[in-house]
Amino acid sequence: MDTAVFRLEGVTKRYGDLVALDNATLEVGANEYISFLGPSGSGKTTLLRVIAGFEAPESGRVHFEGRDITNVPAHERGIGFVFQNFALFPHLTVIQNVGFGLTHGKSGLSAAEVERRAVEMINLVGLSGMEGRGVDQISGGQRQRVALARTLAMKPKLVLLDEPLGALDANLRSRMRNELRAIRERLGVTFLHVTGSETEALAMGDRVVVLDSGKIIQTGTPGDIYDNPASPDVAHFLNRFNLFDGTLSKGTFSGAFGTVASAKATRSNRDVCAVRYDRIRVLPASSKAEGPALKATFIASEYLGSSVMNFFDAGGGHLVEMEHHLSLGAPDTYEPRQDYLLTWNPEQAIVFGREAGQ
Ligand code: ADP
Ligand code: MG
């Protein structure tokens, strides 16, 4: 595809017997913001390191701006990398850190130009006035911004961010999310952002790429992935679905909640019914529900700002989560240790199974 700025073709990377990246193929367009979501050890850092050129893949090709860069050394790729631990120089000031690559690389810029560009990047990330501070005299969130400014100062067309917000508190994290997107729009760079957080992946990405055991298991817009997770594993990583094991047979799914017709099902090697947290309805234990009905004991609730999460034990330690969005009105309250009946509209459940078509 000609509009792709960046392309991976069947990239495999092994460490001994371990396949850290398994035949990864991906195309990224200009100005896209891509988030990579996957559990720890799924190959996210390895993927970025291969793209940056810090690791050579055993097979497959990496293309960037119309060029095969598989064998191009890292420092000649024009790709920026913001490391998970920031990797700042502790004895240098903010401005010296930001200008470091320009001063010590092959930028050919004069000292005055380096300073001008460093100041511009420091302004861009909102650290004006801190130029002369030592990086050991600023907060974690500010160090994060220095690391970003240092990378952006090199004017890369592609910026790789390895869990850049992991070390920040929740407040700062959501501010930085907005700022990263704003910077992307101002500078016209493509961002590949690795995260272990499903909230971050869904909030930030124009597209989300889900990784598991070195494989890309789904690529799509946040809406696609949220509405149509490709497998029980993706549904699990999204942290938005209750997963019920059971049996899919002749278009009906049988689980602890009873037997329910499932006209549509997605092929999978496991029979699983996935129900979004915000699709669960809670009825008194004595109710008669049409369709799925699961007896469960209320455990506790948690206030999340825009919604309330209610936790139920469906027996055998199976936790069922029910989310009430506060925009829909005040939440019902439930009695701890009391039994309730959980139900949902079966048409809103996503059924996976071995007998499904494809
Ligand atoms: P993530 O960033 O998603 O947590 P990584 O890409 O760091 O995952 O790691 C993927 C897999 O490769 C893990 O099983 C990890 O232990 C292994 N791995 C990563 N780097 C190395 C290395 N240098 N040597 C051996 N194994 C490695
Ligand atoms: Mg990692």
Side-chain angles (χ1 to χ4, degrees), residues 17-347:
D17 288 342
L18 187 128
V19 186
L21 265 189
D22 191 352
N23 194 21
T25 293
L26 178 69
E27 280 192 7
V28 177
N31 285 347
E32 263 202 294
Y33 202 117
I34 303 275
S35 34
F36 291 93
L37 172 66
S40 179
S42 58
K44 305 183 298 296
T45 296
T46 304
L47 183 68
L48 292 192
R49 291 179 61 82
V50 166
I51 295 170
F54 302 136
E55 304 279 357
E58 270 76 39
S59 58
R61 310 306 301 173
V62 184
H63 295 266
F64 179 45
E65 296 192 306
R67 199 156 75 103
D68 184 333
I69 59 162
T70 316
N71 299 315
V72 174
H75 65 276
E76 290 173 12
R77 291 190 177 195
I79 295 176
F81 202 119
V82 180
F83 293 93
Q84 199 159 4
N85 58 5
F86 312 156
L88 298 177
F89 304 107
H91 54 286
L92 299 183
T93 62
V94 167
I95 193 164
Q96 286 168 333
N97 265 284
V98 174
F100 190 87
L102 298 172
T103 309
H104 294 85
K106 291 189 276 187
S107 75
L109 297 179
S110 68
E113 284 170 305
V114 168
E115 180 171 333
R116 195 192 52 73
R117 198 185 297 173
V119 167
E120 185 190 333
M121 292 301 141
I122 289 168
N123 289 340
L124 182 72
V125 300
L127 290 181
S128 310
M130 302 232 171
E131 291 81 357
R133 291 266 191 102
V135 292
D136 51 356
Q137 297 169 322
I138 58 177
S139 72
Q142 290 164 340
R143 277 199 283 276
Q144 165 66 61
R145 287 157 195 263
V146 174
L148 182 63
R150 183 179 61 179
T151 301
L152 295 173
M154 305 299 288
K155 302 228 162 128
K157 278 281 150 222
L158 180 65
V159 175
L160 312 178
L161 302 154
D162 194 357
E163 304 204 29
L165 311 182
L168 307 184
D169 65 50
N171 221 329
L172 262 177
R173 220 181 298 146
S174 67
R175 248 180 65 199
M176 273 310 282
R177 272 188 213 153
N178 293 333
E179 289 179 23
L180 277 171
R181 290 193 61 99
I183 287 169
R184 188 280 299 260
E185 265 138 47
R186 261 187 71 186
L187 300 185
V189 290
T190 303
F191 277 109
L192 304 188
H193 177 147
V194 155
T195 174
S197 153
E198 69 291 342
T199 317
E200 202 167 297
L202 293 168
M204 305 266 327
D206 299 321
R207 282 194 298 153
V208 179
V209 175
V210 186
L211 276 167
D212 187 27
S213 307
K215 285 195 172 69
I216 292 178
I217 55 172
Q218 190 169 6
T219 302
T221 64
D224 287 341
I225 299 221
Y226 194 47
D227 292 336
N228 295 304
S231 68
D233 286 331
V234 175
H236 174 67
F237 299 150
L238 291 175
N239 207 18
R240 299 282 201 289
F241 289 88
N242 294 294
L243 300 185
F244 300 105
D245 288 324
T247 310
L248 178 67
S249 174
K250 302 192 181 81
T252 61
F253 191 95
S254 306
F257 52 78
T259 296
V260 175
S262 306
K264 268 192 329 198
T266 303
R267 192 174 183 84
S268 166
N269 57 6
R270 280 165 67 196
D271 293 359
V272 171
C273 175
V275 184
R276 252 165 65 172
Y277 296 160
D278 57 355
R279 303 294 195 206
I280 301 275
R281 286 193 300 132
V282 183
L283 304 175
S286 57
S287 316
K288 282 263 172 288
E290 298 248 338
L294 188 65
K295 268 238 158 59
T297 311
F298 178 63
I299 306 170
S301 61
E302 197 177 292
Y303 175 69
L304 295 180
S306 59
S307 66
V308 173
M309 291 297 300
N310 294 293
F311 301 97
F312 292 84
D313 180 354
H318 186 165
L319 189 73
V320 178
E321 301 186 39
M322 177 273 196
E323 179 173 23
H324 176 90
H325 296 291
L326 291 172
S327 58
L328 300 177
D332 289 333
T333 53
Y334 309 110
E335 286 297 314
R337 292 183 301 280
Q338 285 298 309
D339 285 345
Y340 291 88
L341 197 69
L342 306 182
T343 186
W344 55 89
N345 176 349
E347 285 172 20

